[in-house]
Amino acid sequence: MQTGLNGCIGRPRPRASAAAGRAIDPELLLRLEHIIVSHQRLPEWGSPKPPMTPEALLVHYADDLDAKYQMMATILRDDTNPGPLTSKKNVLYQKLYRGTS
């Protein structure tokens, strides 16, 4: 069935589970594959397809939020600028508030 949801990246893992004797509904398999291949959303980030289902969109934003949170945590941990604000010389190009204590 050709739906246009999936590229080829990321497909072996769900397919391997299905081939290993686990009964997976074809629609569920299609949706799982789409979540995997579309989670980065943009071609320049490595995604062959943008999220085209609500579940894929949710996984994309969860992944993006986690990445941005990790960037902020790293900036707050590593920045040596004195005072309550970090320098804006970081991957987010903005000052972050670290607090006064």
Side-chain angles (χ1 to χ4, degrees):
M1 169 173 68
Q2 183 68 344
T3 63
L5 280 181
N6 295 334
C8 60
I9 299 170
R11 294 184 76 181
R13 192 171 296 157
R15 293 253 176 218
S17 294
R22 295 176 184 92
I24 298 179
D25 175 69
E27 176 71 14
L28 177 59
L29 183 59
L30 177 70
R31 287 176 176 269
L32 289 172
E33 289 173 345
H34 179 66
I35 288 169
I36 292 167
V37 301
S38 69
H39 82 280
Q40 291 182 321
R41 188 175 62 89
L42 298 171
E44 56 268 29
W45 292 351
S47 182
K49 293 282 183 179
M52 297 170 68
T53 65
E55 301 88 354
L57 187 67
L58 183 65
V59 169
H60 160 68
Y61 280 116
D63 183 53
D64 189 57
L65 180 62
D66 177 62
K68 293 207 174 34
Y69 177 85
Q70 293 303 322
M71 287 179 208
M72 286 187 109
T74 300
I75 293 165
L76 289 168
R77 182 192 68 215
D78 296 345
D79 185 83
T80 58
N81 196 52
L85 297 175
T86 67
S87 165
K88 67 177 193 177
K89 293 180 183 177
N90 56 57
V91 296
L92 296 176
Y93 302 105
Q94 69 181 50
K95 292 181 179 186
L96 301 179
Y97 180 71
R98 77 174 67 134
T100 56
S101 56

